[in-house]
Amino acid sequence: MKARHCPSPARSPRGTPTRAWPAALAPTLLGALLACLPVPQARAQAAEAPAPGSNPLFRDRFTADPAPLVVGERLYLYVGHDEAQRDEMFNMREWLVYSTTDMKTWTDHGPIMKVADFRWAKADAWAAQAIHKDGKYWFYAAVEHDGTQPGKAIAVAVSDSPTGPFVDAKGSALVTNAMTPKGTHSWEDIDPTVFTDDDGTTWIAWGNRQCYIARLKPNMIEIDGPITEITPPHFEEGPWLHERDGIYYLTYASLDRSQHRDEKVSYATAPSIQGPWTYRGELTGSGKYSFTIHPGIARFKGQWYLFLHNAALAVGDQSGAIGRRAVTVEHLQYNPDGTMKPVVQTEAGVSVPPPR
Ligand code: FUB
């Protein structure tokens, strides 16, 4: 049988569309690809092709702990790379970044950093967030410190570009377990969220079971002043700070251990970054098949989005699990009083307009 020329999307670590073709190319390129398949298989694949903007966002590997950053016309999404094998709980060695201009087509920029790039850290590329300040990109991440400062710690890295390369900005941890002595366990200093207020001060909040907040010095690599505990009800981990119309939001993974097995997302609001924080209840249910869920919030091109993860993706013969998660996105909407409308994690994601 004569071979036909079948186009295959080139794979390179940087600049590669990962899951959704640009709209203008989709019909022709997909058509050409399907023409190479036996007819019944082509029909089956056409029926299964996910709509651009549907969940999960990335289907060729497991991703978790989404953290969006808007830079001009592009939204960057920083994620942890889940590589747990079999019954391993977590195996996370690096962070990845993707970007989009339309929330439908994503570009894979590859790994931006490995945990080994922090020479004082020994494992666990856990939740992270990047921000842009004074012309540089600052990346804050949870890692496991080496034996000199046992427990989880927060690292800070810097780059001239949102896609890296990022390098350790301090050469030591920004936050260590010893800096929060009232904490109850060795993994409380995780999941940094960073937020720059109108006066130019950047704040960092973080925690597991205890939630802390502190100012950063203008150099972005030192804590400025006291570390204050602000733990809201049912706080578990994954805090995310943002502001809208003068209301400050502390959104987080919550766990009411008396009621639920898996985390949900809850939030509190305040009139200022310094509080007082008022608990506003649950924002979402649990992520499908996932103990954890991790909020990341951004306003992009006039719309608000809530990034989460679940464990509903299978890649090859590997099913979703606590350490094999998949990042999702949903529309986020507000009530006139500034409270956020409950969000349901869906397969349609942002392939459909926001609910009315
Ligand atoms: O991904 C590892 C840890 O699980 C994160 O730091 C937490 O937020 C939870 O998602």
Side-chain angles (χ1 to χ4, degrees):
M1 205 166 66
K2 208 172 163 190
R4 278 191 283 181
H5 173 68
C6 298
S8 63
R11 297 213 64 82
S12 74
R14 290 181 179 266
T16 304
T18 56
R19 58 164 304 278
W21 298 104
L25 282 183
T28 46
L29 196 45
L30 189 58
L33 283 165
L34 293 177
C36 300
L37 298 172
V39 170
Q41 200 181 344
R43 282 208 191 104
Q45 296 210 355
E48 284 167 15
S54 58
N55 289 321
L57 296 181
F58 318 115
R59 299 176 187 226
D60 60 342
R61 64 187 112 173
F62 296 105
T63 56
D65 303 328
L69 171 67
V70 175
V71 182
E73 295 295 300
R74 191 168 282 273
L75 183 145
Y76 293 88
L77 190 65
Y78 298 83
V79 300
H81 186 189
D82 264 341
E83 299 182 89
Q85 304 297 311
R86 295 172 291 279
D87 295 338
E88 233 178 347
M89 187 171 173
F90 292 124
N91 181 350
M92 305 182 78
R93 294 176 291 180
E94 62 184 8
W95 297 272
L96 315 172
V97 67
Y98 298 82
S99 75
T100 184
T101 56
D102 61 5
M103 294 300 292
K104 303 248 160 88
T105 306
W106 289 87
T107 299
D108 177 356
H109 299 280
I112 51 145
M113 248 195 132
K114 296 187 182 307
V115 72
D117 295 332
F118 298 106
R119 298 180 67 151
W120 49 269
K122 68 174 188 189
D124 294 344
W126 283 16
Q129 185 182 348
I131 55 167
H132 188 205
K133 191 170 181 191
D134 299 336
K136 298 226 179 267
Y137 296 87
W138 299 92
F139 181 73
Y140 297 83
V143 296
E144 178 74 19
H145 205 293
D146 68 18
T148 61
Q149 298 267 357
K152 287 284 182 289
I154 294 175
V156 52
V158 67
S159 175
D160 292 328
S161 158
T163 55
F166 282 84
V167 295
D168 187 349
K170 190 173 163 81
S172 59
L174 171 69
V175 176
T176 62
N177 200 27
M179 290 165 68
T180 52
K182 288 192 184 155
T184 54
H185 52 298
S186 67
W187 64 97
E188 59 165 343
D189 296 297
I190 62 169
D191 296 2
T193 176
V194 270
F195 169 80
T196 302
D197 207 354
D198 290 342
D199 66 358
T201 306
T202 301
W203 295 79
I204 180 166
W206 71 94
N208 177 289
R209 296 197 204 157
Q210 285 89 33
C211 184
Y212 300 103
I213 193 165
R215 277 192 186 85
L216 284 174
K217 287 188 181 172
N219 66 14
M220 302 295 274
I221 63 168
E222 287 175 278
I223 299 289
D224 191 6
I227 293 174
T228 307
E229 185 177 348
I230 54 165
T231 308
H234 311 304
F235 177 82
E236 186 67 11
E237 55 190 358
W240 186 272
L241 290 169
H242 81 283
E243 182 267 345
R244 175 183 176 271
D245 292 346
I247 299 177
Y248 293 74
Y249 296 80
L250 173 65
T251 308
Y252 54 95
S254 57
L255 188 58
D256 179 351
R257 289 171 188 278
S258 65
Q259 305 274 332
H260 306 292
R261 199 187 59 176
D262 297 330
E263 294 176 350
K264 301 181 178 193
V265 173
S266 298
Y267 74 107
T269 63
S272 130
I273 191 71
Q274 298 189 68
W277 294 98
T278 302
Y279 179 58
R280 298 293 181 190
E282 289 174 355
L283 179 62
T284 75
S286 300
K288 197 172 180 185
Y289 308 139
S290 182
F291 167 65
T292 66
I293 191 168
H294 191 105
I297 294 173
R299 181 171 190 264
F300 183 52
K301 300 190 174 176
Q303 303 288 323
W304 285 91
Y305 296 96
L306 173 64
F307 292 86
L308 302 165
H309 65 222
N310 61 30
L313 176 70
V315 180
D317 62 359
Q318 288 196 303
S319 56
I322 186 168
R324 289 190 294 275
R325 295 162 291 179
V327 164
T328 67
V329 66
E330 304 292 344
H331 296 285
L332 178 62
Q333 296 178 298
Y334 297 82
N335 294 307
D337 66 359
T339 54
M340 295 190 280
K341 294 188 178 177
V343 175
V344 176
Q345 214 178 25
T346 63
E347 284 180 18
V350 298
S351 69
V352 295
R356 289 185 176 267

